[in-house]
Amino acid sequence: MEDISIASGVEQSVNVFKIWSALNHLEHRMPRFFLFFILGLVVFIGLYYCLTLSGIDTRLDFPSSFLILTSLLIWIPVLNWTAYGHRETGSLLRRVGRLQNTYLAQSLAVIYIVVSLIALAFIIYEVMGGTPNFPSSLRDWSPLLSLWSFSISYALSVFSDLIVYENGIYLGFVLLKWEEITAYHWDRTEPNLLVVTVKPGSMFSLKPSARLLLPQEQRDYVGNILSTKVQATRTDDA
């Protein structure tokens, strides 16, 4: 009897290993978009099933479907970094810290969180009397889900530290690889302001260049790293 239990345990371990190997093989063979699509589909089906069991009306119209889809798409950069990005960084060289020119963005993130809390309280409770009034339809929850998804992902992004890795610079769930930098210079009016020109299509910046106001004590280190790691042109600010 004991031998049968041991054999069963070994068989289960082998099956788990096979599944894990298959997932790793699928990861290398299938484009990331399709992996995220499959992951999103599994999450959606699971949430749909749980909501159905809880008695919430899961019927959707076009506006609520759009809001829920937006809520899922917002998390793609976070999922991409969690699943793939951190594997491409190489070894950690230095944690530079938060940028000095993101105070406005951080203030907006706090405002978004406060607004989300107010919206949550308004939806769950009636305006007068404080009687619980939980929404019974997914259509009622969709605006709140979209607002909270944006608020949390935005806050995580703007409050993240700039980190220098062996293979690039990390900020806000995006790794700017050294080869993606085409030019860089230090601003003349603000000595700690690093202006980096990136290749078109880089996820690090929607604009052709990114302006990074570094802590003063980190300027020399970042400058030395750029001079040794980046095969780019150092330009002077006009």
Side-chain angles (χ1 to χ4, degrees), residues 181-206:
I181 301 177
T182 59
Y184 69 93
H185 66 265
W186 296 97
D187 189 81
R188 290 181 177 178
T189 58
E190 294 186 79
N192 299 329
L193 179 61
L194 175 64
V195 182
V196 179
T197 304
V198 299
K199 290 182 178 179
S202 173
M203 294 182 61
F204 190 81
S205 176
L206 297 177

Side-chain angles (χ1 to χ4, degrees), residues 23 25-43 73 76 79-80 83-84:
L23 289 175
H25 180 72
L26 183 65
E27 173 185 331
H28 293 291
R29 295 293 298 276
M30 182 177 291
R32 295 183 184 181
F33 172 79
F34 293 104
L35 286 177
F36 283 126
F37 175 78
I38 294 174
L39 177 62
L41 185 62
V42 171
V43 171
L73 293 177
I76 285 182
L79 293 174
N80 183 66
Y84 302 101

Side-chain angles (χ1 to χ4, degrees), residues 97-158:
R98 294 178 187 170
L99 299 180
Q100 305 299 301
N101 56 343
T102 58
Y103 292 128
L104 177 59
Q106 292 171 3
S107 301
L108 288 175
V110 174
I111 293 174
Y112 291 148
I113 294 294
V114 172
V115 171
S116 300
L117 289 172
I118 294 175
L120 177 63
F122 180 79
I123 289 180
I124 293 182
Y125 293 96
E126 293 180 348
V127 179
M128 300 296 292
T131 305
N133 184 27
F134 292 97
S136 58
S137 171
L138 188 57
R139 293 188 297 270
D140 299 329
W141 281 105
S142 57
L144 186 63
L145 290 175
S146 179
L147 179 60
W148 269 104
S149 293
F150 174 77
S151 300
I152 295 176
S153 61
Y154 182 74
L156 290 174
S157 177
V158 300

Side-chain angles (χ1 to χ4, degrees), residues 6-48:
I6 294 175
S8 177
V10 171
E11 183 179 358
Q12 292 179 0
S13 300
V14 172
N15 290 334
V16 171
F17 177 76
K18 288 181 178 179
I19 295 174
W20 179 256
S21 300
L23 289 175
N24 287 334
H25 180 72
L26 183 65
E27 173 185 331
H28 293 291
R29 295 293 298 276
M30 182 177 291
R32 295 183 184 181
F33 172 79
F34 293 104
L35 286 177
F36 283 126
F37 175 78
I38 294 174
L39 177 62
L41 185 62
V42 171
V43 171
F44 179 79
I45 293 175
L47 288 175
Y48 187 89

